[in-house]
Amino acid sequence: MQKTINKELLHSLSGYRNLIEAKWYRRPAKVQYEGHGLSVPLQPLGVWSDGKQLFVDWLQPWKHKGMTPRQLDILYTLHRHRFLIGSYFDAEFRCVEFQVPENEDSRKLNLEFGTFSELSDDELGQELKKLLAAIEVASKVPRKPKVRKADEDQPDLPFSP
């Protein structure tokens, strides 16, 4: 899922990067969690260190909706099984959210960490079965063709027959 991150979110991320005291920060490679009939791509926003502790940041970019505690536990469990291993085993997993609070106009940082619970394999399997069922239902819904607006940024591509 490659989508353009909007300017407001980029500004918020820049503020977050200035807030943390990172000695180094990098974007990790994407990995796949495979199990219970699904393959789930995982690519945290970044891995960083303050010189004492290793951190793994997951970006939740939705503007008007956050993740429930159960959804965060599922996300944490997927990462615990596939990403938070080896060198990252003791890293602190953090969910970085930039939602717009009710009755406000701009995004605010909400940082979730240290409150996640790792699900058992059976619990994770039950949750992923629900996800798979939802994906199957959604795949049968006819899609409307995307209509591009004339004023959308389009790259100037040379046309040659």
Side-chain angles (χ1 to χ4, degrees):
M1 178 178 100
Q2 284 290 67
K3 291 194 175 191
T4 304
I5 296 178
N6 68 40
K7 290 178 185 176
E8 182 185 22
L9 184 55
L10 284 175
H11 178 72
S12 298
L13 281 171
S14 178
Y16 172 69
R17 289 283 304 273
N18 291 332
L19 178 70
I20 62 175
E21 297 179 12
K23 301 286 184 200
W24 58 267
Y25 195 104
R26 70 176 181 86
R27 176 91 170 162
K30 185 185 298 185
V31 297
Q32 296 288 127
Y33 169 87
E34 295 190 12
H36 301 284
L38 285 174
S39 179
V40 181
L42 302 172
Q43 186 174 27
L45 171 67
V47 176
W48 61 280
S49 174
D50 62 2
K52 299 176 217 148
Q53 172 75 37
L54 197 59
F55 299 89
V56 174
D57 288 344
W58 174 266
L59 175 64
Q60 190 293 101
W62 302 329
K63 188 172 186 175
H64 298 290
K65 182 169 176 52
M67 295 177 78
T68 66
R70 185 66 168 185
Q71 290 169 328
L72 288 169
D73 289 345
I74 294 165
L75 182 66
Y76 172 74
T77 302
L78 294 174
H79 280 81
R80 174 56 58 204
H81 284 249
R82 188 62 185 93
F83 193 85
L84 299 171
I85 56 177
S87 298
Y88 300 132
F89 184 79
D90 291 324
E92 181 176 288
F93 184 76
R94 298 157 51 123
C95 183
V96 181
E97 296 183 306
F98 291 103
Q99 293 175 252
V100 177
E102 283 188 47
N103 304 318
E104 294 196 28
D105 295 328
S106 60
R107 293 176 183 257
K108 301 285 188 252
L109 170 64
N110 180 32
L111 195 57
E112 296 279 343
F113 60 94
T115 59
F116 310 113
S117 297
E118 186 173 351
L119 304 180
S120 71
D121 193 56
D122 287 340
E123 289 173 308
L124 181 61
Q126 291 171 2
E127 296 297 340
L128 292 180
K129 279 182 187 176
K130 292 177 196 174
L131 177 61
L132 186 57
I135 290 170
E136 288 173 359
V137 168
S139 72
K140 294 175 184 168
V141 174
R143 296 180 186 252
K144 294 180 183 177
K146 183 175 180 179
V147 178
R148 287 199 168 272
K149 296 177 185 172
D151 63 345
E152 282 185 6
D153 289 338
Q154 295 291 322
D156 292 327
L157 299 176
F159 176 75
S160 58

